[in-house]
Amino acid sequence: MNFGFTEEQDLLREAARRFIEQRCPIGEVRRLAETEKGFSAEIWQEMARLGWLGLTLPEAHGGSGLGWIDLVVILEETGRGLVPSPLPASTLAATAILENGDAAQHGRWLPALAAGSRIGTVALMEEGGALDPRRIGVRGVRDGDGFVLSGRKTLVSDPTSADLFVVSFRCGDGPDDVALAVVEAGAPGVVAKSFPLIDATKRLGNLDLDGARIRGDQVLGAAGGAAARITRLLNQCAIAVTAEMAGAAERALRITVDYANERTQFGQPIGHFQGVKHPLAEMYVDIESFKSLLYYAAWALENRPHEVSRYASLAKAYATDAFVRTGIDSIQLHGATGFTVEYDIQLYFKRSKWARPMFGDAAAHYERALALRGV
Amino acid sequence: MDFDLTPEEEAFRSEVREFLAANLPPPAERSKLGADFINEWWRKIREKRWIGFDWPREMGGGGGTVMQQYILKEEMLNAKAPPLGSDYTGLGWVGPAVIQFGTDEQRKRFLPDILDSKSAWCTGYSEPGVGSDLASLRCRAVRDGDDYVVNGQKIWISLAHIGTGIYTMVRTDPDVSKYDGISCLLIPLNTPGIEVRPIKSFAGDHFKDLYNEVFFHDVRVPVANRVGREGQGWEILCSALQRERSGIAEVNRHHKALERLIKLAATSRIAGEPALENMEMRKRLAAFDARIEACRLTGLRVLTRQVQGKLGDSDASIGKLHNCNLLVAMSETAMELLGGASPYLGDTEASVGRGKWQIGALGWPTTVIGGGTPNIQKNIIAERILGLPKD
Ligand SMILES: Cc1cc2nc3c(=O)[nH]c(=O)nc-3n(C[C@H](O)[C@H](O)[C@H](O)COP(=O)(O)OP(=O)(O)OC[C@H]3O[C@@H](n4cnc5c(N)ncnc54)[C@H](O)[C@@H]3O)c2cc1C
């Protein structure tokens, strides 16, 4: 047994951190946040060349053939740098297609996603925020070999950049009559809309389906009986968000520790006061704790499939509360400086507002963890 | 990252399981056998070299790896087996200090009794004016020929009233820095001039005779009983405090407590409604689950660093803080759920569950204050890990 990263993973992390520091430092993040698209096409291409966009895809599909722990490493680093890009969303869409699609579907979409020539995203959440696939409301009505889809998906990442959406929908009245399909952007009845966010480095919005027709070859796997597969995808999404949160929360802590060592009041660095140093120690404990849950959940994806839901939920729930608290405490410990647009800490505070509801808030995940233990 | 056991680790686990199946009687039978059972049990696991399993074989230990030791402890806890030996402190940090810093003669003299559950060491750090700031300790040892003469007082010494020896930090040199003037003496408690006076805790019968004052009046201790060099005491103490780690026993205890807490919630009401339908209570229970699991998994990350020889000197503090929080928060949640039954002490018709939760609600200082308070753990993290200024 071994609960550490491999040397290769440490190197991957170092390389990622260096790349982000050089190509997408925080000034660039701020600049991109102001643009309409919200990310840089050049950096996107470079990430494709580094193999990050198809990190967990097999080499046969243009991927790097790495595993979920490696992906967690990359997402921690993009989260740490607040790198604006559809990398997380597109990776999750590719994962869904890889795990649920057939050979033809793999060939049609995966190489393009790995190369970055197309961008994917997932549209799983709906109003109310339920995690249970049995409560999916978007409906698909049989139409020849395909379906006609209607309903709204919420909290869709990168809605206006995405070329394709992996959508969950209801295809019958039984609890497990649910399915996954790839919906193409711009098709009739498909409207994706992005709205202004507290965290300007992200893009988020709705996918409205109004009589959108999909062919049979857009359905991933069998239509119906997909509840377990949708749950697995949702777990992967929750794990990915938690990895981004881990990197961001660590960076927020580091920024605040540095400030506490620099800022002097009453003749000494404020980090000398326990009212400052103890909340920082508590942040550290919380961040290390949810990282432990995160790493186990990511490992379980490939090694203990039946444990994934429990640990993904414990990780996302713990992380959500901890990151929100880290955001608020970090600002407070900066004093008035923390309230300025100029200091970077505000960007991390705002990131915690984005992270809270993504793929289930703390309440939803704690509820699911309880249900899983029969309470 | 790989949570599966290696084939060798798996084989060792099977060995432990088979041994337990063959040798550990069910709890009811154990209590009938009483002392006979426990003595026989210790003899058997001693034969397997599972007491002091991670000590070197040439010193009477089992030469087990860190991972094997972890597997052994986990299997023993799962089987609800008695502890691995009775000399908790001896096995925990006195023996390891002798192994790391002692002489061959000391190893021959002290280690066998620890392994055979014949000694019962206690720990003498704290003094009336010396708590969190341990390095300021004053209990004085003055060299006189082949002896030290010890004068002073220790306080809050757990188990000294039933102990055989006290592992004591004393000041041998008052003229150097407070860290450099401390030495470590192993003092038999039957040495003339030692007086042990029990202190009563408020927690009542369940925690009675917990800790003591220990007075030293011109106590002569042979220099041969000093572990390490004169002035090496602080280093020995820091390494011993790290050994109070492991934490897996704690996690096991929290898991069981949470199960009991959920059962209690299932039969309790909050403002007239079933407690398990109260959203705030549900979130609280699930958050306990998350923290216990986080504590367990963080412990495994620490274990991995230990195997790789990369253990940090503050790795124990995260677990300690979680333990403190969980213990108090879970027992207070239980008291809340017990409602009108919560103030009653003991097993009466007014109490629920034989008054077990009340014991927890009174006894938490053993965990929270003993071994260093939460504030001190936060200082350690802030200063040693995050690099903030020292207090
Ligand atoms: C059940 C039990 C068993 C024990 N067994 C033993 C034993 O066997 N051997 C032994 O040597 N000792 C033992 N102790 C003593 C224990 O180690 C000390 O009680 C503990 O280290 C705290 O010291 P103190 O009680 O003197 O409190 P103090 O150090 O006086 O602290 C009082 C309060 O002030 C806070 N405080 C102190 N300094 C700081 C600071 N720098 N920053 C912020 N807050 C601070 C503390 O957190 C605490 O809340 C035992 C204690 C208990 C309760």
Side-chain angles (χ1 to χ4, degrees), chain A residues 1-4 261 272 274 277-278 282 288-289 292 299 304 310-311 318 321 366-367 373 375, chain B residues 1-4 9 279 282-283 289 293 296-298 301 304 322 378-379 383 387 389-391:
Chain A
M1 201 202 69
N2 152 22
F3 196 176
N261 273 324
H272 200 97
Q274 290 188 346
K277 77 206 266 191
H278 285 188
E282 282 162 20
E288 287 303 308
S289 296
S292 299
W299 179 81
R304 298 263 197 287
R310 169 167 163 76
Y311 287 93
Y318 194 138
D321 287 341
Y366 276 141
E367 267 309 315
R373 54 182 297 169
V375 179
Chain B
M1 222 165 269
D2 185 1
F3 291 87
D4 287 323
E9 288 163 358
M279 290 320 286
R282 292 181 68 82
K283 187 173 174 188
D289 197 1
E293 281 295 314
R296 177 176 74 84
L297 292 166
T298 305
R301 284 168 67 205
T304 298
H322 274 305
K378 287 179 203 166
N379 278 358
E383 292 165 15
K390 273 198 181 301
D391 254 18

Side-chain angles (χ1 to χ4, degrees), chain A residues 114-342:
Chain A
S117 57
R118 303 196 81 193
I119 292 172
T121 189
V122 291
L124 302 178
M125 303 301 288
E126 298 183 5
E127 246 137 55
L131 301 176
D132 186 348
R134 286 173 300 190
R135 288 169 61 184
I136 290 171
V138 167
R139 289 203 72 91
V141 178
R142 257 288 168 212
D143 179 33
D145 72 337
F147 290 91
V148 173
L149 304 183
S150 297
R152 166 173 292 176
K153 292 291 181 182
T154 60
L155 295 174
V156 178
S157 293
D158 308 296
T160 51
S161 307
D163 302 301
L164 53 94
F165 301 82
V166 172
V167 177
S168 58
F169 66 98
R170 169 156 299 290
C171 55
D173 292 324
D176 203 9
D177 286 338
V178 286
L180 283 169
V182 175
V183 170
E184 303 264 357
V190 177
V191 178
K193 205 164 170 224
S194 180
F195 300 96
L197 284 183
I198 290 176
D199 176 4
T201 67
K202 287 283 187 185
R203 294 292 178 269
L204 200 62
N206 291 338
L207 176 67
D208 283 313
L209 301 167
D210 183 13
R213 185 162 195 292
I214 52 167
R215 299 179 311 270
D217 66 1
Q218 287 172 270
V219 177
L220 298 170
R229 291 188 284 123
I230 294 170
T231 295
R232 180 171 167 85
L233 178 58
L234 195 83
N235 286 334
Q236 288 162 327
C237 295
I239 288 168
V241 174
T242 308
E244 286 188 87
M245 292 161 80
E250 272 187 348
R251 182 77 192 122
L253 172 59
R254 180 40 54 194
I255 290 173
T256 312
V257 166
D258 288 347
Y259 188 76
N261 273 324
E262 276 161 29
R263 171 74 177 168
T264 297
Q265 280 299 283
F266 300 98
Q268 49 192 337
I270 55 168
H272 200 97
F273 303 116
Q274 290 188 346
V276 173
K277 77 206 266 191
H278 285 188
L280 292 170
E282 282 162 20
M283 281 180 208
Y284 175 81
V285 170
D286 279 338
I287 295 168
E288 287 303 308
S289 296
F290 81 69
K291 272 164 61 188
S292 299
L293 292 165
L294 162 70
Y295 298 156
Y296 187 81
W299 179 81
L301 272 176
E302 283 155 356
N303 299 280
R304 298 263 197 287
H306 60 286
E307 288 186 345
V308 176
S309 288
R310 169 167 163 76
Y311 287 93
S313 274
L314 293 181
K316 175 64 174 51
Y318 194 138
T320 299
D321 287 341
F323 189 22
V324 166
R325 207 164 39 239
T326 296
I328 292 170
D329 288 352
S330 303
I331 296 292
Q332 198 213 320
L333 293 175
H334 273 76
T337 303
F339 195 44
T340 61
V341 73
E342 183 194 337

Side-chain angles (χ1 to χ4, degrees), chain A residues 50-65:
Chain A
L50 287 169
W52 290 7
L53 302 186
L55 199 78
T56 57
L57 296 179
E59 284 166 26
H61 301 308
S64 306

